[in-house]
Amino acid sequence: MAYTSINKSTEHFNTKLYTGNGSSGHSITGVGFQPDWVWIKNRQQSYSHFLTDSVRGVTKEIYSDSSGAEYTRSNGLTAFGTDGFTVGDNNGHNQNGNNLVAWNWKAGTTGSGTTTGSGTGKAYSYSVNTTAGFSIVKYIGNGSSGHTIPHHLGAVPKWILVKNLDNTGGWAWRVYHASIGATKRLFLNTSDAEGTDSTAWNDTSPTSSVFTVGNSTGTNSNNENLIAYCFAEKTGYNKFGKYTGNGNADGTFVYTGFRPGFVIIKKTNGSENWSMYDTKRNTNGTTNTLPLVAEDTGAESGFTGKNMDILSNGLKMKTSNGELNGSGDTYI
């Protein structure tokens, strides 16, 4: 049996570093595929994280650091290309002379249908990459607990991010992670610890065909549009889990079985940042020295003292900082 069905991980996910030029049509190439989800951050300035996907379409953005509704920005991400994407002259996407990072995921197989479970069935559309265990699902909420949303992964998702696109009252991102279960939730746009919440996931774990939502405005507001990013584990490519910190500079080792290209870590039993690392920014050998933070607009230079080695078979914490390795603290 093959170790992994993915021979080249960069055909499904790739980190692209680029320099802004301030032009109205800056083409970013070298991604290696046509991306379906692009997450952009200006590394030098305190601008938002800009998230755009092919299901919602170009110029449509949401922000990991904000609970605000979807925004249409004509000079943001303006096109998906066969080897990357094009950005306009917005400073958060393309400030002249600034260094930026774009994390890119491939989905690609599209479709649509009607949701299932409790309440009125609603329209949904999707793009999925079953090989890499990733799907994007845009759906309409029905306000009924037990509403089930097809994710089309063909495997049980271990990580799901959901954002209400319409609600201008500011509804936070809801985060499901298999390691904390369906009775809990986290918010991507805050550093809050995990909390008990039966309204987000209806206390029901996802299956290989659907995930279930309760009557939360954040996951199932009646007749409002929502977007979900769903991830399943794939051997040698995607891994989701938890670990316990040891509180010293010779920190915890986390086994993944492969060298990750992109890592997000969140302390679950306290208020610490969503720390984001990759293998192309700020590396000194295997050591990553400067994370970016999903819920914070800050430049990467503002997040120091949080060193981590990304190794051939996992992660090694190189700090006692509570964001990665507090003694007895739990992390996903």
Side-chain angles (χ1 to χ4, degrees):
M1 178 176 166
Y3 171 67
T4 177
S5 60
I6 297 174
N7 294 321
K8 190 175 181 182
S9 62
T10 53
E11 293 178 348
H12 304 277
F13 169 83
N14 207 356
T15 299
K16 176 65 181 176
L17 306 183
Y18 68 97
T19 302
N21 67 9
S23 74
S24 59
H26 187 17
S27 178
I28 310 302
T29 58
V31 170
F33 53 86
Q34 181 169 316
D36 291 285
W37 187 29
V38 181
W39 181 329
I40 293 174
K41 180 69 179 79
N42 186 313
R43 300 164 59 192
Q44 295 179 238
Q45 306 291 340
S46 293
Y47 298 134
S48 281
H49 296 247
F50 297 97
L51 284 63
T52 304
D53 62 71
S54 61
V55 175
R56 293 181 295 121
V58 296
T59 75
K60 304 292 186 182
E61 60 189 35
I62 47 180
Y63 318 97
S64 64
D65 52 272
S66 171
S67 59
E70 179 185 74
Y71 181 75
T72 300
R73 189 182 302 275
S74 61
N75 62 343
L77 192 152
T78 58
F80 294 107
T82 57
D83 188 33
F85 55 91
T86 300
V87 290
D89 59 6
N90 176 59
N91 285 340
H93 296 80
N94 189 26
Q95 183 162 339
N96 188 33
N98 278 195
N99 295 319
L100 298 100
V101 60
W103 298 295
N104 303 271
W105 287 263
K106 179 182 178 180
T109 299
T110 61
S112 60
T114 303
T115 60
T116 52
S118 300
T120 303
K122 299 289 185 177
Y124 76 95
S125 57
Y126 68 92
S127 184
V128 64
N129 179 347
T130 55
T131 300
F134 171 60
S135 68
I136 306 165
V137 184
K138 182 181 178 183
Y139 65 96
I140 299 173
N142 70 9
S144 297
S145 296
H147 189 195
T148 53
I149 316 301
H151 52 68
H152 293 273
L153 292 172
V156 178
K158 296 298 183 76
W159 193 44
I160 303 172
L161 309 175
V162 174
K163 180 71 185 71
N164 187 314
L165 300 174
D166 294 337
N167 198 295
T168 57
W171 290 96
W173 289 78
R174 298 306 197 275
V175 180
Y176 166 83
H177 194 286
S179 294
I180 64 174
T183 65
K184 307 285 188 181
R185 56 93 186 104
L186 289 158
F187 300 129
L188 185 65
N189 58 291
T190 79
S191 62
D192 293 357
E194 69 177 38
T196 300
D197 185 356
S198 62
T199 68
W201 315 113
N202 203 46
D203 294 346
T204 305
S205 297
T207 71
S208 60
S209 58
V210 299
F211 66 92
T212 302
V213 291
N215 59 5
S216 167
T217 302
T219 57
N220 193 26
S221 186
N222 190 36
N223 290 327
E224 293 191 332
N225 291 289
L226 301 104
I227 194 77
Y229 304 105
C230 307
F231 297 82
E233 281 195 348
K234 293 294 178 178
T235 301
Y237 176 77
N238 267 349
K239 185 70 175 175
F240 305 91
K242 65 180 179 179
Y243 67 91
T244 302
N246 67 11
N248 64 62
D250 185 19
T252 300
F253 172 74
V254 181
Y255 178 77
T256 61
F258 59 95
R259 186 173 192 240
F262 178 68
V263 180
I264 302 181
I265 293 175
K266 175 71 178 80
K267 179 178 173 179
T268 61
N269 64 319
S271 296
E272 294 286 357
N273 292 330
W274 292 87
S275 297
M276 306 170 70
Y277 297 82
D278 60 65
T279 53
K280 294 189 178 178
R281 293 180 302 113
N282 301 305
T283 58
N284 178 15
T286 59
T287 301
N288 283 248
T289 59
L290 293 176
L292 284 162
V293 170
E295 82 279 10
D296 195 301
T297 63
E300 63 189 9
S301 60
F303 305 106
T304 59
K306 301 170 178 124
N307 295 354
M308 178 182 68
D309 286 351
I310 298 181
L311 305 172
S312 62
N313 62 348
L315 314 171
K316 174 68 171 178
M317 307 308 147
K318 305 290 287 185
T319 178
S320 60
N321 187 284
E323 198 163 293
L324 298 182
N325 192 35
S327 179
D329 289 330
T330 56
Y331 299 84
I332 56 168

